[in-house]
Amino acid sequence: MKVSLNHLKELVETDISAVELSKLFNLHSSEVEETYQLVDATNLVVGYVTEKVKHPDADKLSVCQVDIGGEISQIVCGAPNVDKGQHVVVSKVGAVLAGGFKIKKSSIRGVESNGMICSLAELGIDKKFIYSDGIYVINEKCKPGDDPLSILSLEDEVMALDITPNRADLLSVMGVALDTSTILDVPLKFKVPEVKSIEKENPVTVKIETKNCYSYYARVIEDIVIKDSPNWMQSRLIAAGIRPINNIVDITNYVMIETGQPLHAFDYDLLGSDIIAVRMAYEGEEFTTLDEHKRKLTKEDIVITNGDKSVALGGVMGGFDTEIKEGSNRILLESAVFNPTNIRKTSKRLDLRSEASIRFERKIDPKRTILALNMAVSLFHKYANGKILKDYKFEDNIDYSEPVINTSTKQINDNLGTNLSTEEISDILRRLHFEHQINEEVLSVILPSRRQDMETYQDIVEEVGRIYGYDKLPLILPTTVSKGQLSESQIFIRNIKNKMTGLGLNEVLTYSLINEKRIDEFTKSKANFTKVASPMSIDRHVLTSSPLNGIIDVIKYNNARKNKDMFVFEVGKRYNEDEKIVLSGALTGLFSETNWQGTKEVVDFYTVKGILDSLFESLYLGHVEYEPMIDYKNLHPGQSAYIKDYSGVIGFIGKLHPEYAKSHSLKNVYVFELEVDKMLSSRRVLKKVKEINKFPEVSRDIAIVLDDSTTTKEVLDVIKKAGKRMLIKADVFDLYKGSPLDDNQKSLAISLTFSDTKRTLETKEVDQRVNEILGILKAKLKAELR
Amino acid sequence: MNVSEKLEAIKNEAKERISIIKSMHELNDAKAKYLGKKGMFNDVMKLMKDLPNEEKPMFGKLTNETKQIILKYIEEQRNLIEQAIIQEQLNKETIDVTLPGKKFLLGKKHLMTQIVEEIEDLFVGMGYQIMEGPEIETDENNFEKLNLPKDHPARDMQDTFYITNDTLLRTHTSPVQVRTMLEKGGKEPIKILCPGKVYRRDDDDATHSHQFMQIEGLVVDETTSMAELKGTLLEMANKMFGEGRKIRLRPSYFPFTEPSVEVDISCHNCNGKGCNICKGTGWIEVLGAGMVNNNVLEASGYDSTKYRGFAFGIGVERLAMLKYGINDIRQFYTNDIRFNSQFKK
């Protein structure tokens, strides 16, 4: 809502500037987007063109002698419509026009020019409000040297309010005036329009045939003369962002801006009957609106008819067939109230938002329906020579009884945290123009009809709070005592993030919505998925089945920007599995490098596995195993594994399949994904400390040759079983393939550590145990001592 | 040459010769030569038998003294040689300490996590519980129970990703508040903070993101007031933007709160003088808040004649953008590692 300060000051007693008022509105009423001068130009005067001759050296230029009040100024002008005998707007030398354009004394093709004769656009009026090109010719009575902005009523400030849905009352200058009066505690200057009607009867019959039209008032005006509306009205419409059209349309818009009540004027002679009947549209009914668009209606749209044919889309837009045009003589003026929900649906469905529909859908003040009608007809009389027929015709089903809200000083203070007295609160209500009664502790407030948003005592609290000033509220902390803490799983997830970053991985955050095509890139089987009904793009369409989908994009994005070494993780969700929380990650590139020493470590399967092992170790996950896996189509079948613990599979690790990697322009990327809840539930948290063994450890290294397809896990399982309690550790420290071994053979070197918690082991018994181990290795795995 | 002269000569010779020895090996040889079983003192001792008895003690004393002196020369020289050896080793081992160190990787948490954890910690310290909930929500929890019935004009304020008629991607974390209130059964006070991902049907651009991180807070008790809300928000402002912030509440509208306010924080960059971050106003708009609308309390089982509540909601990306001068919200989701790793936590 853009408010002309001139208009506002006609309704409320103040001379405050827009800047000062906007500061107060921000704190007490509604957000102000901006304030500005309607015309932001200086050094303008009215000039009178006393002489115009053609420029000696330019066909399209004229050299004008202009009386600018006590002196004659020579000005070169390029506008074709400039002429001798005109009053024009002159920006003198030193003037600054819209956009910071400075006027200087100059010489145009050899002829001196002292200023410029202006068009409205050059003064900064938006082109959409202007009809004629060329300079503006003043028709009003004026003399050279006068201030043209004052003569054209363009000396105005605008305050642009950003109004929240509840404050529909601020969609009228009256509403803004009421709040101004409240904030400044100054009187209002509302006027009652005087209607001078003729004796002739109003022939119209109004019939409301739908419950969605609450009231309908109609008045007829005859013998109107269509012309431009007065300057002051045009400039107030321009200030409000509405394009002036002609006196009739401008008056209906002007009254709407002032009262918030939308009006519509029909050409009565084109109406085709003396009946106004309001009904719901028929399903599929066709109707052409003012903007010449043919619209298909539904039974949720309200239409105004002549008893047969629709003539307007109620509350949204008038009809093309009954539009006021040059030559219209009789008009029927409508002032009505419609069901906000229907208006909202209609304007939304047809994508047709008008100044009227915006107001109707937010609920207008039903008590201004007649006021607006009267205001408009009296303006028709004054500015369009109209004769007003006797009485308005109407049907009105509105219950005008005023609801009362009971609250109390205590309730208001409890909610705000203040200590206001009943008198202070009563005074704020007086300033708000809220009628109220005080009965001991009870405050009974009559809800004004302009505040259709107010329903409960909380609304009164809000009104008192904003006018008293939120800046005056004390600052205290809640007295509510409670235990503040993170849940076990929140702590666990934080712990995971701490460990992962400690292990060198960066956390990323990716979108949950992905392209449907990618939904099963990291699932074992065809994933089911959840799709949003109306996506913004095909790439943000379904909820992801793995954070890896987003992580792959992160790696691609970074690789394309030469960030080749990427180690990232995300704690995200599998949305297709009840929003299961998973830890996913990807690594690629050089994990460590000290160039000048010639050492570097390229990320491989075992880098990632090592990182995960450290993670598991630090999270009390003691028995995690890796099992070869071939079930994921986008993972390398020879370099992938399930990660398992007591409870079964908790996740997977693997290298991207070369084909998949290639299709994403990636190379050697290793990924993993782990289910957080499974990790949380299979922890074996330390309960009692383990005594440190005081007896010495004995080590023996063995090297065995065995079939290449035998896994290290199988070997270690056999060793651990055969080593019994005495064996406390078995670590692989070398792997060898090649000559002199056969192609299908490998050699593993394993370090065995033995100990006993109760005594020192003897060499002989250790050697015997090693022999037993070797014997079982040979028997079970055909492993030979090398 | 008498005996004492002889001893004197040995001592002098030893002093001279020992002082020029450079290696441990030579020093050991010298020690053997002078003090060993077959050393020079053996010859000297042979002279003793020719001495008169009364001079023998004197001779013995003198001999021992001389031996001790030579031993001292040897030990002194040993120290010198040891020092020289160490010095040589140190010289050999001297490195260029300005060459780069070996890298040990330390990852960084995402800025969103850093800020969420920081705010969580503040509120846990003030007695709040951290509550989470599903991102796929019902229309009922996301809208209807929050005083946003179907056809409510304010639904236009939040364009929604619907999944079916009744399910959607939550547009705020308020449904977690609804769930908590329902769980508590209208019986006990509530003090919770609800962080999480939320979604709105927006085209992604520099200032809009279809997915973002939100933190909402809710307190419900018999004593809750706007003043408590204001005090709580000041704590958060000071935590996020440094001590000494001021806050300003302006009237606003949200269907779930009444009164509703927009909350501004005095600009951390210019301290309220006006700069490009606060667009010259001295204030930055960071969150929305208010007293919980009674319809919301009642819809989730709280008796609004007994209980009151306050609630606030903050967009974490926006907060981060204001704090660090980040000008494109998409940077949080593209994860350029050069961006992410600037935030060291």
Side-chain angles (χ1 to χ4, degrees), chain A residues 462 482 498 501 512 533-534 575, chain B residues 107 109 127 135 162 199 201 258:
Chain A
E462 178 161 54
S482 54
N498 290 339
T501 51
S512 311
S534 35
Y575 289 89
Chain B
K109 287 185 185 173
E135 292 162 42
Y162 274 92
Y199 306 84
R201 270 194 89 246
E258 175 97 61

Side-chain angles (χ1 to χ4, degrees), chain A residues 537-555:
Chain A
S537 81
I538 192 85
D539 285 331
R540 307 276 167 245
H541 194 184
V542 305
L543 284 157
T544 193
S545 53
S546 162
L548 286 173
N549 290 307
I551 289 174
I552 294 298
D553 288 343
V554 171
I555 305 268

